[in-house]
Amino acid sequence: MSLVNSSFEAWDSDDACCGAMAACALNAKEDVVSPSVETPGGNPSSLVMEEMQGYDVEFDPPLESKYECPICLMALREPLQTTCGHRFCKACILKSIRDAGSKCPVDNDLLLESQLFPDNFAKREILSLTVKCPSQDCVAKMELRHLEHHLAACEFASVECGLCQQFFQRSQLQQHMEAECPRRLVSCENCLVEMSYEERLGHEQTCPLAYVTCEYCQTDLVRKQMADHYDMDCYKAPIPCTYTHFGCKEKMQRNDLARHLQEFTQAHMRMMAQTLRSVSSSFTPTSHMSSPHDASQQTQSLKETVEQLEARLVIQDHQIRELIAKMQNQTSVVTELKNTVRALEDKFTEVEAQQYNGVFIWKINHFSAHLRNQEEERPVVIHSPGFYTGKPGYKLCLRMHLQLPSAPRCANYISLFVHTMQGEYDNLLHWPFQGTIRLSILDQSEGSSIQDQEEIMDTKPDLLAFQRPTMARNPKGFGYVTFMPILALRQRMFIKNDTLLVRCIVTTQAELNSPRREGFHPRNSDGSTL
């Protein structure tokens, strides 16, 4: 993260007439002089100035009355003196003469613009007076001539946020723009599209790559996959009976459909027969199609067909019941075997994950297929198996994105992130997870000129990515959006035998503090959360 350092160079001037000529009050306007305008007589008209009253600031000690403008009742700005001995702000007296006529506002004596002359002595004295900074909470004092430069660097001065147009103290603006402004730019953690923070919540409700939970079976899937999941895979999704067109109005969960078809076989067959009867009874022959005798024969033939079908259905129903009973027995055995195999596989995977001891090599096979999908603008998101930092230790996994050519700010880059996972030892560990993570895409060249693509990052305990996960895999990750350009894969042998190797070395905070790790100084990195 880049830091912006503000510097302030002290300003001073020996010539009091040259200092603090611009606006220094919070509501003062800049002194703008319009160009001379030629009059019909050929003589240039007097300069017309936009209204600018005196200095509206707090003086310490209070301002003497001799330095007040009789028109705006504030400290004289660019004081002009009249032939009758009165002082006014330059803008105030010129506006008075233009609007009220050529007379002195104090004693109504005749007063022309040509009878005004600068009072540089009064100007120098006023600019030398001590004033308080008008910013709330600021206790600084300085000569009036230095106030403008002080306000340009004052940490308590009110400045406008360029994004939301709200005003904040200068010392708070950076924090506001980085973490609080509703219009600050953020990236969607799933599709990486940039948007303002206030648009993020709406985007999260529609992002096609966001993980959502099936309302029926509680499976976590990418949103764009959910429609197909409902239509084809979800075993708890409500679906209509396959005989709905014949009159069955039942709805059930997908995994209950087979049982429903078994229990209502005869009812479904009768519905089909009834449908055939309705078709046959509604048959009305026309003269040009067939004779009444032919129509009667066709009707009789349909009735006989229906009766034969009903008899066959009764026999088939008994056969189906016997087969279903056998199938249920076999299904229960197969299900039990599958559950046993799945439990053994999960146990083996967990035991294998505990052997990595913080050093994990992720082999991504058939990588060319992922590259083709990326080139064809199909999203590529890959998750690694879980691995432990030790025994006991934290359980982590890696996530890789191959950014599409159309990605707005990271096109054709490999993004690489680390996720915390629910592990066997979570109750024994200190949360949030703290340590150093070294991510590498390995150069598989032979010889001594190997050049891995590597980044090292320190964890940030205040981020959600390193809190104790509340689900199998923490949806928040931490890493690099632009870890490596995809084109760089071809510059060296990062892909060998269609396999990409990614290495993750994790050193926990406990290991960093151990005497065995003395002398190890991890390098901070500009990691980003996703």
Side-chain angles (χ1 to χ4, degrees):
M1 179 179 65
S2 61
L3 300 177
V4 179
N5 295 320
S6 299
S7 60
F8 171 65
E9 181 179 354
W11 175 87
D12 198 355
S13 173
D14 294 331
D15 185 358
C17 297
C18 299
M21 301 300 292
C24 68
L26 291 177
N27 62 348
K29 300 179 181 178
E30 292 185 0
D31 191 2
V32 180
V33 182
S34 64
S36 298
V37 179
E38 294 292 333
T39 61
N43 297 324
S45 66
S46 61
L47 297 179
V48 180
M49 302 176 60
E50 289 192 0
E51 179 181 358
M52 179 186 292
Q53 297 178 326
Y55 296 108
D56 185 12
V57 291
E58 182 179 357
F59 289 84
D60 187 18
L63 184 70
E64 297 181 44
S65 59
K66 65 179 180 179
Y67 295 130
E68 288 184 356
C69 173
I71 297 177
C72 67
L73 303 181
M74 291 185 285
L76 291 163
R77 183 193 297 271
E78 295 294 316
L80 297 181
Q81 194 170 41
T82 67
T83 54
C84 54
H86 300 112
R87 294 191 185 98
F88 301 93
C89 296
K90 182 177 182 179
C92 292
I93 188 60
L94 291 177
K95 185 176 186 299
S96 175
I97 293 175
R98 182 178 67 240
D99 296 342
S102 300
K103 60 182 179 179
C104 175
V106 177
D107 53 19
N108 289 325
D109 286 350
L110 177 67
L111 180 63
L112 302 176
E113 289 188 24
S114 59
Q115 296 175 307
L116 300 172
F117 57 91
D119 192 338
N120 290 330
F121 177 78
K123 177 179 178 179
R124 284 193 295 270
E125 288 191 326
I126 293 172
L127 292 176
S128 299
L129 296 176
T130 301
V131 297
K132 296 180 180 179
C133 174
S135 301
Q136 185 178 2
D137 300 327
C138 183
V139 297
K141 298 180 182 179
M142 71 290 298
E143 291 185 359
L144 176 59
R145 62 166 52 87
H146 299 320
L147 180 58
E148 177 189 1
H149 291 269
H150 168 77
L151 288 175
C154 179
E155 290 298 308
F156 299 97
S158 180
V159 290
E160 183 182 28
C161 171
L163 298 176
C164 65
Q165 283 73 54
Q166 299 297 317
F167 285 87
F168 302 88
Q169 288 186 349
R170 179 175 282 109
S171 60
Q172 301 171 350
L173 183 63
Q174 185 76 10
Q175 170 67 17
H176 165 76
M177 295 186 69
E178 291 180 354
E180 301 169 0
C181 181
R183 296 186 182 176
R184 67 186 186 275
L185 286 180
V186 295
S187 295
C188 173
E189 63 182 18
N190 299 296
C191 65
L192 301 180
V193 171
E194 279 194 342
M195 68 206 75
S196 65
Y197 180 81
E198 61 187 358
E199 296 173 343
R200 188 193 63 174
L201 292 180
H203 173 79
E204 288 178 349
Q205 304 302 316
T206 59
C207 178
L209 296 183
Y211 279 93
V212 293
T213 302
C214 174
E215 60 181 308
Y216 303 113
C217 66
Q218 306 306 309
T219 301
D220 291 332
L221 292 170
V222 174
R223 178 176 279 112
K224 69 177 184 178
Q225 298 174 341
M226 193 58 70
D228 291 339
H229 171 72
Y230 286 151
D231 294 341
M232 302 178 63
D233 301 328
C234 182
Y235 63 95
K236 287 189 176 182
I239 60 173
C241 174
T242 52
Y243 288 89
T244 183
H245 298 297
F246 295 99
C248 183
K249 301 184 181 302
E250 293 292 328
K251 284 190 174 182
M252 70 290 303
Q253 293 181 351
R254 180 174 276 107
N255 61 340
D256 293 334
L257 178 60
R259 182 183 305 162
H260 170 76
L261 295 177
Q262 171 194 343
E263 295 175 353
F264 292 89
T265 301
Q266 289 188 348
H268 291 155
M269 297 304 103
R270 291 191 183 95
M271 290 177 187
M272 292 178 64
Q274 182 62 38
T275 302
L276 289 173
R277 289 194 187 98
S278 299
V279 172
S280 63
S281 63
S282 63
F283 177 76
T284 304
T286 57
S287 58
H288 68 276
M289 291 180 60
S290 60
S291 64
H293 176 71
D294 293 337
S296 177
Q297 286 183 338
Q298 292 176 359
T299 301
Q300 182 64 30
S301 176
L302 285 172
K303 289 180 178 180
E304 292 175 355
T305 301
V306 170
E307 291 173 356
Q308 292 174 4
L309 287 173
E310 287 180 338
R312 292 173 59 184
L313 287 174
V314 172
I315 297 173
Q316 291 178 353
D317 181 54
H318 290 295
Q319 295 175 343
I320 290 173
R321 289 179 182 275
E322 293 177 0
L323 291 173
I324 288 176
K326 294 179 181 179
M327 184 183 67
Q328 287 178 337
N329 291 334
Q330 294 177 348
T331 301
S332 62
V333 173
V334 171
T335 301
E336 186 175 350
L337 289 173
K338 286 183 177 180
N339 291 337
T340 302
V341 171
R342 187 177 298 111
L344 290 173
E345 289 177 343
D346 292 342
K347 184 63 175 177
F348 177 79
T349 301
E350 190 72 8
V351 171
E352 184 182 32
Q354 295 175 12
Q355 306 308 312
Y356 290 110
N357 201 29
V359 180
F360 173 62
I361 304 294
W362 181 18
K363 295 178 64 176
I364 307 177
N365 298 317
H366 310 295
F367 197 74
S368 58
H370 297 306
L371 291 177
R372 284 195 299 272
N373 288 336
Q374 186 268 345
E375 292 171 355
E376 295 170 2
E377 293 280 353
R378 288 183 287 183
V380 179
V381 182
I382 319 167
H383 289 86
S384 78
F387 62 96
Y388 282 81
T389 62
K391 189 174 182 180
Y394 300 89
K395 190 176 184 181
L396 309 173
C397 73
L398 303 180
R399 172 165 58 101
M400 176 181 288
H401 284 246
L402 300 187
Q403 301 297 343
L404 303 181
S406 59
R409 65 183 181 92
C410 52
N412 297 313
Y413 265 89
I414 295 176
S415 301
L416 197 56
F417 306 96
V418 177
H419 290 256
T420 57
M421 299 182 68
Q422 289 180 335
E424 185 176 349
Y425 310 106
D426 287 356
N427 291 333
L428 307 177
L429 303 172
H430 296 288
W431 295 94
F433 167 60
Q434 297 185 59
T436 298
I437 301 172
R438 184 192 303 264
L439 294 174
S440 308
I441 293 181
L442 300 182
D443 180 2
Q444 302 180 58
S445 304
E446 297 180 0
S448 59
S449 60
I450 294 177
Q451 297 180 13
D452 299 334
Q453 177 70 22
E454 185 172 276
E455 294 290 348
I456 304 175
M457 60 188 183
D458 291 331
T459 60
K460 297 183 179 180
D462 55 327
L463 297 181
L464 293 176
F466 300 109
Q467 307 303 314
R468 181 172 178 175
T470 57
M471 57 183 66
R473 180 178 64 237
N474 191 341
K476 296 287 186 180
F478 187 78
Y480 298 87
V481 176
T482 55
F483 183 85
M484 178 181 184
I486 293 177
L487 290 177
L489 294 175
R490 299 183 176 88
Q491 297 175 0
R492 301 191 64 81
M493 191 177 290
F494 288 104
I495 302 174
K496 186 176 182 180
N497 298 327
D498 204 15
T499 300
L500 185 75
L501 299 181
V502 181
R503 182 177 63 198
C504 180
I505 302 177
V506 182
T507 306
T508 64
Q509 188 65 42
E511 293 175 308
L512 289 172
N513 295 334
S514 171
R516 295 183 296 105
R517 301 293 299 178
E518 186 175 356
F520 178 81
H521 301 287
R523 175 170 60 87
N524 287 329
S525 63
D526 186 14
S528 59
T529 301
L530 193 64

